[in-house]
Amino acid sequence: MTPTPSRTSARILHWDGERLHVLDQTRLPAEEVVLTLTGAEDTAEAIRRLAVRGAPLIGVAAGYGAAMEIARNPRPGPALARLAAARPTARNLAWAVERVAAADDARAEAEAIAREDEAASTALSAHGADALEAALPAGPVTVLTHCNSGALAASGRGTGLGVIAELADRREVHVLACEARPLLQGARLTVWELRRLGLPHALLVDSAAAGLIRRGEVDAVVTGLDRVAANGDVANKVGTYPLALAAGAAGIPFVAAGPSSSVDLSLASGDAIEIEERDAAEVRGALPADTPCRNPAFDVTPAELVWALVTERGAARPVTRETLAAVA
Ligand code: MRU
């Protein structure tokens, strides 16, 4: 099924009651192209190629994709299974498909997931900003973030970037955005959002971050998250773990923020989180086609490196099984 593109200054995700309209994030910032999705297969394809991305937004889109499939297909099972498996790491994807598939009213359930996600973004942004406010030095601060965890990655304000935007409502915040390989989600998407938010910012290559943190140029690191295991280990965009190591060594907070729908208490530790390995072509670029490449899309940060894990239910700090369970 080919999604229908159109050009307009678009909302990031819009449900018209029958069809799902999403901004194609692979085309930003150059173009705002809207895709209209009609069922599980085209929704899965949009998720797979990162046209729709970010754990919470993947969950919201997948919920609608499942509902559309159920409405039109008398035997939706195989298509729903393919949708649930489109990307393995973010918990929200399979979680949303299972939730909609089990509901009496699939469409109402998908709409509920979207409403809950927006409310979660608002609440967790406030909890994260509260925790940081209490710990940061007075005056202007510099916060570093990775990948994109803003309004393009979740309903409402976002998660990691939602926390930063909320903090910026309360005090002067300068944002350092890592570019994030392989598809430059930070450079293309976070910078696009920061411009729209009017927040002062600078882009840096991922490998510059640890050095700037060591030099004392960063007051806190704040990211989103894709899946959290029961012991508080956090999977997020590849490159997050080195940021947490650098933050720990420098004694600054590392905050991971996301909705409780990303917490997976069925997994004992981060070792059990499946890490998506993407197509080598995303890394290889113009090199010869037989160039061996690795392309893990995520890494796992151990709980002890996470200063605070924030959901809509509050901030777990320090992160232990018990404090996580209270916000899961
Ligand atoms: O591969 P992506 O772009 O979907 O990865 C996104 C991230 O790692 C985000 O930090 C995470 O999904 C949280 S988004 C609110």
Side-chain angles (χ1 to χ4, degrees):
M1 207 141 315
T2 312
T4 317
S6 64
R7 281 178 180 72
T8 157
S9 184
R11 279 178 279 178
I12 289 157
L13 181 143
H14 170 61
W15 170 243
D16 70 10
E18 299 289 332
R19 301 276 176 265
L20 183 63
H21 309 274
V22 294
L23 203 50
D24 183 343
Q25 299 192 25
T26 64
R27 309 283 285 267
L28 290 172
E31 293 178 300
E32 295 185 11
V33 176
V34 175
L35 305 175
T36 296
L37 305 175
T38 59
E41 304 285 6
D42 54 1
T43 303
E45 180 55 19
I47 290 171
R48 226 175 271 122
R49 66 181 189 83
L50 307 186
V52 176
R53 46 144 304 279
L57 199 77
I58 288 172
V60 171
Y64 284 126
M68 291 186 290
E69 192 66 31
I70 289 165
R72 70 178 194 177
N73 181 349
R75 298 164 65 97
L80 294 187
R82 282 191 291 276
L83 173 58
R87 296 186 77 193
T89 304
R91 175 173 186 252
N92 309 61
L93 173 52
W95 168 85
V97 174
E98 280 161 24
R99 197 172 140 177
V100 168
D104 291 332
D105 183 339
R107 195 161 78 167
E109 196 68 15
E111 289 166 351
I113 289 172
R115 272 197 311 277
E116 289 166 23
D117 192 59
E118 182 161 1
S121 280
T122 305
L124 71 85
S125 297
H127 292 312
D130 289 347
L132 283 168
E133 273 282 81
L136 290 174
V141 289
T142 298
V143 178
L144 185 141
T145 191
H146 189 44
C147 194
N148 172 266
S149 59
L152 285 164
S155 310
R157 227 171 186 189
T159 60
L161 204 53
V163 170
I164 294 170
E166 175 75 25
L167 192 66
D169 286 345
R170 306 179 186 186
R171 59 152 77 200
E172 206 179 310
V173 176
H174 186 266
V175 183
L176 291 175
C178 291
E179 59 186 6
R181 290 279 289 148
L183 289 196
L184 300 176
Q185 289 95 319
R188 294 187 302 104
L189 306 178
T190 297
V191 169
W192 184 79
E193 286 202 43
L194 289 168
R195 272 182 190 273
R196 285 164 55 121
L197 289 167
L199 289 185
H201 60 274
L203 174 67
L204 64 156
V205 297
D206 296 359
S207 46
L212 294 186
I213 291 170
R214 198 191 74 82
R215 272 177 15 196
E217 294 193 28
V218 178
D219 296 294
V221 176
V222 180
T223 72
L225 49 85
D226 282 83
R227 191 182 292 251
V228 184
N231 70 342
D233 291 352
V234 177
N236 191 51
K237 176 53 54 194
V238 68
T240 300
Y241 172 46
L243 294 175
L245 282 170
I252 62 168
F254 169 74
V255 176
S260 58
S261 50
S262 296
V263 179
D264 186 350
L265 296 176
S266 76
L267 301 182
S269 80
D271 293 340
I273 298 175
E274 184 179 349
I275 300 297
E276 176 185 16
E277 185 91 22
R278 293 182 62 83
D279 193 330
E282 291 178 343
V283 174
R284 190 182 296 124
L287 293 175
D290 62 352
T291 307
C293 298
R294 289 293 310 275
N295 191 10
F298 300 93
D299 60 24
V300 172
T301 298
E304 60 268 22
L305 291 177
V306 182
W307 179 80
L309 193 146
V310 178
T311 76
E312 73 277 15
R313 305 204 165 111
R317 192 175 148 231
V319 183
T320 64
R321 282 175 198 285
E322 294 70 32
T323 60
L324 175 65
V327 300

